[in-house]
Amino acid sequence: MTFWFGLSPILVVGLGTLLLMLAEAFGKSPNSANPSDAGSGRSGELALGAAVVLLVGAAFSIGVWMVGPENLEGLEATRPYLVMDRFTVFFCFVLSLGGAFAALLAGGYLPEHDIDRSEFFPLLLLSTVGAMTLVAAGDMLSLFVALETMSLGVYCMVGLRRSPRAAEAALKYFLLGSFAAALLLFGAVLLYGATAHTDLVGIGQAIKTIGQPGSTVPVAPVLLGLTLTLVGLTFKISAVPFHMWTPDAYEGAPTPATSFMAVAVKAAAFAILLRVLVVAFGDDRLTSWGTGWPPALATLALLSMTVANVVAGRQSSVKRMLAYSSIAHAGYALVGVVATMRSADGQASVLFYLLTYTVSTVGAFGALIYCGSRGAEATSYEDLAGIAKRHPAAALAFSLFLLSLAGLPPTAGFFGKLYVFRAAFDAELYVLAVVGLLNSLVGAYYYLRVMVFMYMREPAPGAQPAVPMKSAFVSSALVLAAVLVFALGIAPGWSLDMAGAAKIVVSAK
Amino acid sequence: MHALQKLFPPTEFALLAVILVLPLIGAIVNGVFGKRLGKEGVTTMALFAIGGSFLASLVSFSLLASAQAAAHAKGSEEAVRFLWKGWEWVRVSGRHDMAQVPLSIDFSVDALSGVMSLVVTGVGFLIHLYSTKYMEKDAGYHRFFAYLNLFVFSMLVLILGNSLPVLFVGWEGVGLCSYLLIGFWFDDEKNAAAGKKAFITNRIGDFGLIVAMALLIYYVGSLDWAGIEGGRSNLLTRVQMWPVGNQVPGTSLLQSSMPSLVEALNRPRYVSAASLVGIALFLGCAGKSAQFPLYVWLPDAMAGPTPVSALIHAATMVTAGVYLVCRMAGVFVLSPAVMFTIALVGAFTALLAASIALVQNDIKKVLAYSTVSQLGYMFLGVGVGAFSAGFFHVLTHAFFKACLFLAAGSVIYAMHKRIHDTDASQDMRNMGGMKKYMPHTFAAFAMAWVAIIGVPGTSGFFSKDEILFKAYTSSVAFPIPDGKLIDPRSGKVALELWGWPSWGPTLLYAMGVLGAMMTAFYMSRLVFGIFWGDFKGWKIVKGWKEPEHDEHHGHHDDHHAGPVEGPKPQESPWQITVPILILGALSIVAGFLNAHPLHIAPLDHFLEPVFKFANGAKDVVAAGSKGAGVVEHPSAHGLMWPLMAPGLLALVAGAGGAFWVYLQQAGGPAKALAEKLPGLHALVYDKWRVDEFYEETIIGAVDSLAEFAVVFDRIVVDGIVARVTAFIVAATGTGLRRLQTGHVQAYAAVMVVGVGGLGWFFVAPHATTTVKPDEATGSYQITAAPGLGYQYRWDSDGDGKPDSDQFGAEASLSVSLERGQQKKVGLEVKNAFERVSKRQVTLFRPKVDASKEGPGVIQIEQGPDGQLRGVMPGQNKPLELRRPPAPPPGPGGPPPGLRMAPPPTRPNPAEPHQHQPGDVH
């Protein structure tokens, strides 16, 4: 029983997915007259179902956390394929939350924009299950399977709209994603060839023996395997220069899918990146500043922050700006990942950052959805001009999430950035921390620019300004996100303690 | 009572949450749903929120009182404090020993905050009730009550916060509400400007408060009340104020020609950290409590609705500064200089504001300057160390000044019947004879009037008399013997505190009495002007009816032509008269809370444990040393009755003078005097032209700075910097955007470049080294960064050729150097791909050994012989004086005893420093 309880955060969502699929397949559609469009028009109930499933999953995560996965007997049986530790449970919660937000947003967005296609919700849930298994993966094989499970669903969600633009986005994402997945797989093969292990712990121990007498582990394939694994995983977090797909895919996808990509996919990828680095590549010789993965990732972090911020400032589409902003945020979080090499708080800072980033980003995309309605979707800055006068609540909500993304107190984003940069300072990564701070300043420019348009500009004469939609789903998601943004900004202590307790500790065997 | 005590244990006193949350709920409900609720709903919500909060305060106060009585019965002198712990907000570093300081959202109530919260919620409730009528016809009714509730919430956060940061949140909150309410009728440019003035002036004070918090974190390492009281002895340390750095820049050029001047210029000057903290805190208090030179915002703040003037700008918010001084009494008494400054500023403000109030005609302006003046009295009280006397005046002033403002509002309300111009309806030259038209208002006004001028038996008499008495008899002595901190290593005086001059008390007392006389004069003038004489507002016509075309009440000029006619001025409705009568009654009887001449002083006894730290200061100086903190004049007790005489004389002179001038001579002498000295009259009438002075000097200077900045901005920033950076950013952005072609092949190509880059990094070897110097022995250890599959070859003699042909596993090398010697060491690294990387490190051992300087922290302790001497932590023998470098980061809290100022921490040069060739670009 404890075994099943331990796996429940994933299992509950998985079972819920199956039920939702049945409901989707056999439920009655209001548009059943048109057989080619079967299943359309039921977004409302399915969104509610998906959100409930995911929130129940989140509740089970909380339950498992409270009991403590280390106290549950028999849970080791799934190792190394699924490692149910506190780290996994923490991310199961974050991912369920991110998925639930996406479901709520979709419940409002899809009917409003006439893409009321119910397959979206089973796809969303399947992707979330994939993401959770990815976080739990302790073996290269389960890692790859989970990664693909997560990605395939997302590819489909991106192309949901069936417009040329969406199809292009989905295809690009699919092609480049397959490319990255192939590299990751190749890396895993090299590592297996060198170490005779596919499980991360085994790989880590084999690497530790290098240099000791009698070791038969060759170095070159390990290094190449490390390189390719890094590429495969940093593609999913969309770090520069593996980010090229991001703006196109984010823009072409329906906005709820975008928010899911920006939040859940990214968080899961960060989680597995941390796990792989700490467990498999935690050897002193690979975490050293001179020669290991920290300088490589630091370079990616610097590039991601700087390039994304520079380009984001020149966008005219808010959605595209948010896409670049998510790249920049990947850079900030990478700073924390690099800090894990020397700072004890590095992991916790990344976990906390991802939590704050999740609620802020979901809120920002949600507010963007909320500001538009059928035929008058809000995408560009101009669309948002003067919206504060017409719909103060929408503008206020949007501003709150933008301030959190920019990192202003007393919002969640402030503490996320604070702890990441503090971890970087602890790890004596001064250049990284200072460049990160400067980049936050640059970032504030384009976040505040949205507020300038909302509060201080009037729509150009003759322009069609965006008209906010009316949807209980979207507004409840926004309220929930706003509460979390404030709660994390005013009382960050408990969640930070949880992030600290969730960090992966490699036992020295 | 027992059930309540069980329900709310002292460490989890959740009742505080109730007190705080009710007004917040009121603010949110009225702010968000106010329009839909309607007037009735808003009224109910607002009154319920404040009333509930008042009841909860009452319960917590009675619990506190009984707990304190129980503690007192057991012989404990500790102040009882009920805590409600919220959560930890954030940890900050910045303490001198680098320990982390947690900042928690905690609330607590003790005697001081208990009384204060009663005043805020109680007076607040009455004023809310009053406002339901006064603001009845205003379009922003719900907005007004949302702000008012929010104000009460912020004020309660300020009072009940258990630490300075929480207090600061409330401090800023009340500032915001004050700004919003001053500018409540923001359609009028003047009101909006007054709001801005208040906000900006307060920023100056808030800056001081922030600086004080930073200093306290550094020296004391705690910001909550218990922590500050426990660690305040750490503030008795010296801080070098001059020169900034090691010497005055440029003086080394004069060294040869004028050595004595250079010596004088570079001689270090110190102040105690306690003085720094105290003056910074007082700057904050002076801003919020409108003391010279930051008082200018308060009179203008009366542009807001009258209930706001009563609640925020008379009874509660402006006394926050006095509250803070009382709260931080333990810190302030460590610096006699700061205490004297407070007392002097208070007395001067009392005089200055009273002199302005003598000639104003706008009744709210008179009351505004009177408030500034009375606040000055409070600061005079706390400045001489009579904290409970100063606080008692806060209490009585809250009653009589709120009553005066509300009663004045009642008069203005009546005047509004026919005079809609704000200024004219508040001008006392348009009033007169109101006694017979508005008997209830008159009764309340008269009660508050006798209290403020100090007629014996009223509350104002007892509180003002106590302050004047203490001004003469109480002073602040050195917290350490003779005010001298002896450096044990040299035997010289390390820091000398500034002590009170002997003429100090006399001067302060004289200023206080003079101020009291002026108070009696201007307040009597106000009362006679409003209530006696003939009504001058309009021509009273019997059976007058409102003309049909007359517009409804507004706050704008209606431009009537000809003499205005109207009915008899009418008494205000009960919602207005009941609160003012209650407040009037309180201002008469509240004096018996602290009637020292009659030996009835329950309030003093109640507050005594809170100020124990200020009066004894036993924790700072060992027992037996002479004088510490607040001391009393040796014959104080006998002086109580004699010192009352000048105060009474001032009352008689002031009130009698006003009676003669304004009633018997109908203002003749005043007019004559004004005509005789037109310059002086105009000067005083224009408030000594302080605003104009600020306009010319400070604001002018800021303006010119701003103009310069604009030019600089236009030419340098916009013209050069912005264009260059914008060009670079735009060019890169455009370039990068061009990469974003939309072609998936291009995207894949970029990825391939990325893979190639990462691959190159891992395939190439990196020779990175860490040098660990030991300057004392001259042994330098160089360590190569470890790498997977790395082999090393060293060149220890720096001749460019490796020591051996073979690569080995040796990852570090030790080199021995003479003093002043320089050496090059080479390293070659070969990795698993058979590629080699080289690196050369230059080592240098300085001639002077920097690592052996003495430690920075020296404790000063009192030996068994009673002498102070310095000891190193962990050692017993005295030390010789050396220039202290970086202090060793010691774990744990600050050791007991006094401390020399630790210098700012620098990174320890002995720590391993990594050389990072081409780190990351």
Side-chain angles (χ1 to χ4, degrees):
Chain A
M1 197 59 210
T2 53
F3 173 76
W4 297 110
F5 178 61
L7 289 178
S8 61
I10 302 178
L11 286 182
V12 164
V13 180
L15 280 175
T17 312
L18 297 179
L19 288 176
L20 205 72
M21 279 172 81
L22 287 177
E24 195 258 320
F26 295 108
K28 254 201 186 144
S29 164
N31 299 352
S32 50
N34 179 5
S36 74
D37 217 12
S40 72
R42 290 191 288 131
S43 285
E45 54 206 75
L46 288 171
L48 194 61
V52 166
V53 166
L54 286 163
L55 288 177
V56 169
F60 269 93
S61 308
I62 293 175
V64 174
W65 176 277
M66 302 239 246
V67 177
E70 64 278 359
N71 301 326
L72 295 171
E73 277 173 43
L75 210 50
E76 290 82 25
T78 57
R79 288 186 190 220
Y81 301 104
L82 288 179
V83 185
M84 291 303 293
D85 50 9
R86 280 187 184 271
F87 184 81
T88 307
V89 177
F90 182 90
F91 272 104
C92 280
F93 175 76
V94 174
L95 294 171
S96 307
L97 199 67
F101 276 124
L104 286 175
L105 294 182
Y109 180 88
L110 298 186
E112 183 70 39
H113 294 283
D114 214 6
I115 32 174
D116 194 354
R117 314 183 56 80
S118 51
E119 64 263 34
F120 182 87
F121 297 96
L123 286 172
L124 177 74
L125 284 177
L126 274 174
S127 282
T128 314
V129 173
M132 290 188 192
T133 16
L134 178 63
V135 170
D139 190 283
M140 280 299 193
L141 295 176
S142 57
L143 187 157
F144 185 75
V145 172
L147 186 75
E148 287 303 293
T149 313
M150 176 180 80
S151 307
L152 288 173
V154 177
Y155 299 147
C156 299
M157 285 195 278
V158 172
L160 190 75
R161 203 191 285 266
R162 295 192 187 170
S163 66
R165 183 128 206 194
E168 184 192 338
L171 189 67
K172 272 182 195 164
Y173 187 23
F174 174 66
L175 283 176
L176 294 174
S178 311
F179 185 27
L183 291 179
L184 175 70
L185 200 57
F186 187 35
V189 167
L190 283 173
L191 287 172
Y192 175 65
T195 63
H197 279 284
T198 57
D199 63 309
L200 299 178
V201 177
I203 293 172
Q205 280 167 355
I207 290 175
K208 279 219 165 48
T209 65
I210 292 175
Q212 287 170 6
S215 167
T216 55
V217 180
V219 174
V222 169
L223 285 178
L224 290 179
L226 167 63
T227 313
L228 296 175
T229 315
L230 282 183
V231 172
L233 294 179
T234 47
F235 173 84
K236 282 290 168 203
I237 62 172
S238 59
V240 176
F242 310 116
H243 71 289
M244 301 292 283
W245 58 276
T246 315
D248 291 4
Y250 277 29
E251 201 179 20
T255 314
T258 313
S259 77
F260 184 76
M261 286 155 78
V263 167
V265 174
K266 194 164 284 198
F270 261 108
I272 194 63
L273 178 66
L274 269 179
R275 194 186 282 283
V276 167
L277 289 178
V278 173
V279 178
F281 302 113
D283 186 74
D284 290 345
R285 291 164 292 184
L286 286 177
T287 56
S288 99
W289 177 254
T291 58
W293 48 261
L297 284 188
T299 315
L300 294 189
L302 288 180
L303 281 175
S304 301
M305 292 187 288
T306 316
V307 170
N309 277 325
V310 165
V311 182
R314 298 197 51 79
Q315 299 302 317
S316 54
S317 154
V318 177
K319 200 168 168 188
R320 228 175 146 80
M321 179 276 278
L322 284 175
Y324 279 105
S325 135
S326 86
I327 301 173
H329 281 275
Y332 302 134
L334 267 180
V335 171
V337 174
V338 177
T340 54
M341 70 175 208
R342 241 183 261 153
S343 160
D345 296 334
Q347 276 191 46
S349 77
V350 178
L351 264 56
F352 185 75
Y353 191 88
L354 290 173
L355 181 61
T356 60
Y357 166 76
T358 297
V359 290
S360 324
T361 305
V362 154
F365 278 114
L368 189 61
I369 289 175
Y370 189 70
C371 286
S373 55
R374 186 177 298 190
E377 194 171 355
T379 46
S380 68
Y381 286 95
E382 294 296 340
D383 291 339
L384 293 172
I387 205 160
K389 284 238 177 72
R390 288 170 281 135
H391 301 278
L396 194 68
F398 209 161
S399 311
L400 171 70
F401 299 117
L402 288 171
L403 290 178
S404 181
L405 284 174
L408 261 70
T411 57
F414 169 72
F415 282 102
K417 282 215 176 75
L418 177 72
Y419 289 118
V420 161
F421 292 139
R422 186 189 274 183
F425 270 105
D426 279 353
E428 295 171 27
L429 303 169
Y430 302 117
V431 175
L432 215 48
V434 168
V435 174
L437 285 171
L438 289 177
N439 266 302
S440 318
L441 277 181
V442 177
Y445 160 72
Y446 54 80
Y447 294 127
L448 294 182
R449 195 163 152 229
V450 179
M451 292 172 66
V452 166
F453 270 87
M454 288 196 299
Y455 282 90
M456 303 178 191
R457 293 279 167 87
E458 287 300 321
Q464 287 259 316
V467 180
M469 70 196 304
K470 284 195 168 61
S471 160
F473 284 113
V474 177
S475 29
S476 56
L478 285 182
V479 168
L480 188 60
V483 167
L484 284 171
V485 162
F486 265 125
L488 288 171
I490 292 172
W494 57 272
S495 45
L496 193 71
D497 289 344
M498 277 172 66
K503 77 175 187 184
I504 305 170
V505 182
V506 183
S507 53
K509 275 183 192 164
Chain B
M1 202 63 163
H2 262 291
L4 280 175
Q5 277 167 348
K6 271 239 173 76
L7 194 59
F8 302 115
T11 47
E12 280 173 58
F13 198 71
L15 200 56
L16 290 180
V18 178
I19 300 178
L20 286 165
V21 160
L22 281 174
L24 182 62
I25 293 176
I28 292 173
V29 169
N30 283 342
V32 179
F33 307 108
K35 258 188 199 157
R36 273 172 251 173
L37 278 177
K39 256 175 204 165
E40 307 279 300
V42 171
T43 311
T44 320
M45 185 67 236
L47 288 181
F48 169 76
I50 307 300
S53 190
F54 174 66
L55 289 181
S57 307
L58 209 58
V59 173
S60 73
F61 179 83
S62 56
L63 283 175
L64 190 76
S66 68
Q68 190 145 315
H72 194 70
K74 279 185 204 155
S76 161
E77 278 185 26
E78 287 294 313
V80 176
R81 183 175 283 157
F82 291 162
L83 257 180
W84 179 64
K85 292 201 169 166
W87 61 88
E88 183 180 309
W89 185 54
V90 65
R91 282 167 180 275
V92 294
S93 33
R95 227 181 108 142
H96 58 269
D97 58 3
M98 303 311 283
Q100 296 241 309
V101 181
L103 303 185
S104 299
I105 313 290
D106 293 346
F107 295 93
S108 73
V109 63
D110 62 0
L112 186 63
S113 43
V115 175
M116 193 82 175
S117 66
L118 270 185
V119 172
V120 169
T121 51
V123 175
F125 179 77
L126 291 176
I127 292 172
H128 272 68
L129 179 63
Y130 177 98
S131 311
T132 57
K133 196 75 203 169
Y134 192 85
M135 299 299 289
E136 195 180 19
K137 292 184 181 133
D138 201 284
Y141 190 76
H142 68 283
R143 190 164 57 98
F144 180 80
F145 277 97
Y147 291 163
L148 218 53
N149 281 9
L150 187 65
F151 166 77
V152 174
F153 167 73
S154 310
M155 191 69 206
L156 287 168
V157 169
L158 193 163
I159 294 164
L160 297 174
N162 189 40
S163 61
L164 270 179
V166 180
L167 178 142
F168 190 71
V169 171
W171 190 272
E172 292 298 307
V174 292
L176 173 71
C177 295
S178 155
Y179 164 75
L180 290 172
L181 284 165
I182 294 170
F184 187 73
W185 293 313
F186 54 81
D187 298 339
D188 192 341
E189 180 69 28
K190 201 181 73 189
N191 299 349
K196 274 190 261 177
K197 187 170 175 184
F199 204 68
I200 292 165
T201 316
N202 268 299
R203 292 279 78 65
I204 301 171
D206 296 343
F207 166 73
L209 200 51
I210 292 174
V211 169
M213 282 198 273
L215 288 170
L216 280 169
I217 286 191
Y218 184 77
Y219 287 104
V220 179
S222 179
L223 287 181
D224 62 273
W225 309 141
I228 291 173
E229 276 166 17
R232 66 191 178 123
S233 58
N234 287 316
L235 286 171
L236 280 176
T237 178
R238 69 176 188 186
V239 181
Q240 184 173 327
M241 296 303 287
W242 181 267
V244 183
N246 288 330
Q247 60 172 5
V248 182
T251 45
S252 52
L253 299 174
L254 301 169
Q255 186 66 53
S256 51
S257 52
M258 282 177 282
S260 59
L261 177 69
V262 170
E263 163 73 13
L265 270 179
N266 280 337
R267 192 158 58 84
R269 285 155 177 90
Y270 305 100
V271 297
S272 77
S275 296
L276 274 186
V277 171
I279 209 75
L281 279 174
F282 179 59
L283 185 63
C285 299
K288 190 62 78 195
S289 289
Q291 292 301 290
F292 184 82
L294 298 180
Y295 70 93
V296 289
W297 65 270
L298 186 56
D300 287 19
M302 300 306 160
T306 308
V308 171
S309 308
L311 179 61
I312 302 186
H313 304 117
T316 53
M317 183 187 86
V318 288
T319 57
V322 187
Y323 170 78
L324 184 60
V325 177
C326 290
R327 179 52 78 201
M328 305 294 285
V331 169
F332 278 106
V333 291
L334 296 183
S335 174
V338 170
M339 288 294 273
F340 191 71
T341 312
I342 295 177
L344 201 62
V345 168
F348 180 69
T349 310
L351 271 182
L352 181 77
S355 70
I356 298 173
L358 289 175
V359 294
Q360 300 300 313
N361 289 322
D362 183 324
I363 60 174
K364 280 183 82 178
K365 275 269 150 72
V366 175
L367 291 177
Y369 280 104
S370 159
T371 305
V372 175
S373 169
Q374 296 299 312
L375 287 166
Y377 273 105
M378 299 173 202
F379 277 100
L380 170 61
V382 294
V384 298
F387 296 104
S388 67
F391 186 68
F392 182 48
H393 201 59
V394 169
L395 193 69
T396 58
H397 177 254
F399 295 144
F400 60 66
K401 189 53 67 61
C403 179
L404 286 171
F405 263 114
L406 293 183
S410 175
V411 173
I412 296 167
Y413 189 79
M415 296 296 289
H416 257 274
K417 187 83 184 162
R418 292 300 293 143
I419 301 181
H420 301 319
D421 176 51
T422 311
D423 290 334
S425 68
Q426 298 179 3
D427 195 322
M428 70 172 153
R429 285 169 298 192
N430 288 334
M431 303 171 185
M434 293 297 225
K435 194 169 53 159
K436 57 177 182 257
Y437 303 120
M438 308 182 77
H440 297 134
T441 305
F442 170 66
F445 205 105
M447 285 191 276
W449 165 54
V450 292
I452 192 175
I453 63 177
V455 172
T458 60
S459 63
F461 168 74
F462 287 115
S463 59
K464 195 184 283 179
D465 180 63
E466 179 73 2
I467 287 176
L468 292 179
F469 169 65
K470 290 283 186 183
Y472 190 74
T473 59
S474 175
S475 60
V476 181
F478 294 123
I480 41 179
D482 301 328
K484 284 176 185 161
L485 199 64
I486 310 287
D487 190 315
R489 293 158 300 186
S490 60
K492 285 182 191 156
V493 178
L495 171 68
E496 195 166 351
L497 296 181
W498 186 88
W500 278 45
S502 54
W503 43 265
T506 321
L507 174 71
L508 293 174
Y509 179 77
M511 290 169 88
V513 170
L514 189 58
M517 192 173 79
M518 292 203 240
T519 309
F521 186 85
Y522 70 71
M523 280 312 298
S524 305
R525 167 175 177 263
L526 183 69
V527 171
F528 300 150
I530 298 176
F531 292 102
W532 268 267
D534 297 323
F535 185 69
K536 300 182 274 293
W538 56 78
K539 201 175 155 216
I540 294 173
V541 179
K542 264 199 182 158
W544 182 85
K545 284 223 173 69
E546 188 129 1
E548 291 291 312
H549 61 86
D550 201 6
E551 286 178 18
H552 62 274
H553 285 247
H555 293 278
H556 301 282
D557 210 341
D558 283 6
H559 299 294
H560 286 280
V564 188
E565 297 185 345
K568 279 196 297 190
Q570 275 169 349
E571 179 60 284
S572 305
W574 70 269
Q575 292 98 324
I576 288 184
T577 49
V578 167
I580 55 178
L581 284 169
I582 295 177
L583 287 169
L586 280 172
S587 48
I588 295 288
V589 299
F592 292 95
L593 285 172
N594 225 16
H596 271 287
L598 307 176
H599 301 286
I600 313 169
L603 184 74
D604 244 11
H605 291 302
F606 188 54
L607 290 173
E608 205 176 351
V610 179
F611 299 124
K612 160 180 74 97
F613 277 94
N615 296 330
K618 286 198 186 90
D619 60 320
V620 179
V621 180
S625 58
K626 210 173 120 192
V630 181
V631 289
E632 279 221 330
H633 195 278
S635 53
H637 202 69
L639 285 171
M640 184 176 280
W641 292 99
L643 280 180
M644 209 179 279
L648 287 175
L649 218 63
L651 162 70
V652 171
F659 178 75
W660 181 72
V661 172
Y662 291 101
L663 281 190
Q664 291 204 315
Q665 306 285 327
K671 262 185 213 142
L673 191 68
E675 270 158 25
K676 220 177 206 175
L677 299 169
L680 182 68
H681 180 262
L683 189 63
V684 180
Y685 186 76
D686 289 344
K687 304 135 199 175
W688 297 106
R689 301 217 174 101
V690 172
D691 276 321
E692 286 75 8
F693 176 74
Y694 286 171
E695 187 74 43
E696 285 300 313
T697 53
I698 299 171
I699 300 174
V702 172
D703 275 349
S704 3
L705 191 69
E707 268 158 34
F708 172 74
V710 166
V711 173
F712 182 83
D713 193 66
R714 201 175 295 142
I715 295 173
V716 179
V717 178
D718 280 357
I720 302 170
V721 180
R723 268 189 209 159
V724 169
T725 45
F727 175 75
I728 292 172
V729 170
T732 0
T734 314
L736 287 168
R737 256 176 81 168
R738 194 150 296 162
L739 274 179
Q740 203 80 35
T741 49
H743 293 294
V744 76
Q745 300 93 317
Y747 294 4
V750 173
M751 269 182 75
V752 169
V753 172
V755 176
L758 274 188
W760 173 82
F761 178 81
F762 283 111
V763 167
H766 304 277
T768 311
T769 55
T770 315
V771 179
K772 197 176 166 189
D774 183 353
E775 288 178 7
T777 61
S779 159
Y780 284 69
Q781 194 176 39
I782 311 151
T783 310
L788 213 54
Y790 275 18
Q791 288 180 302
Y792 309 94
R793 192 160 70 172
W794 294 92
D795 167 23
S796 55
D797 43 15
D799 59 357
K801 283 179 200 153
D803 297 346
S804 77
D805 289 342
Q806 295 295 314
F807 280 89
E810 202 62 42
S812 67
L813 177 73
S814 277
V815 180
S816 178
L817 290 180
E818 300 295 317
R819 279 193 194 282
Q821 192 190 354
Q822 185 176 331
K823 196 172 188 180
K824 282 181 181 166
V825 176
L827 166 69
E828 289 181 24
V829 171
K830 188 171 81 169
N831 75 348
F833 298 92
E834 299 288 326
R835 294 166 55 91
V836 177
S837 158
K838 289 182 189 171
R839 175 170 177 78
Q840 205 164 46
V841 186
T842 306
L843 301 174
F844 174 66
R845 186 180 176 193
K847 279 185 180 159
V848 184
D849 187 356
S851 69
K852 273 186 74 184
E853 282 187 12
V857 178
I858 292 134
Q859 292 175 26
I860 298 177
E861 285 182 359
Q862 200 168 32
D865 50 352
Q867 290 293 309
L868 291 176
R869 60 198 177 89
V871 286
M872 284 273 300
Q875 279 182 337
N876 274 334
K877 56 184 181 207
L879 293 154
E880 49 192 323
L881 181 65
R882 271 216 209 93
R883 191 175 201 84
L898 309 185
R899 267 162 172 273
M900 297 298 295
T905 48
R906 278 179 259 124
N908 194 339
E911 265 179 9
H913 182 73
Q914 290 212 343
H915 299 266
Q916 298 163 355
D919 284 343
V920 181
H921 298 290

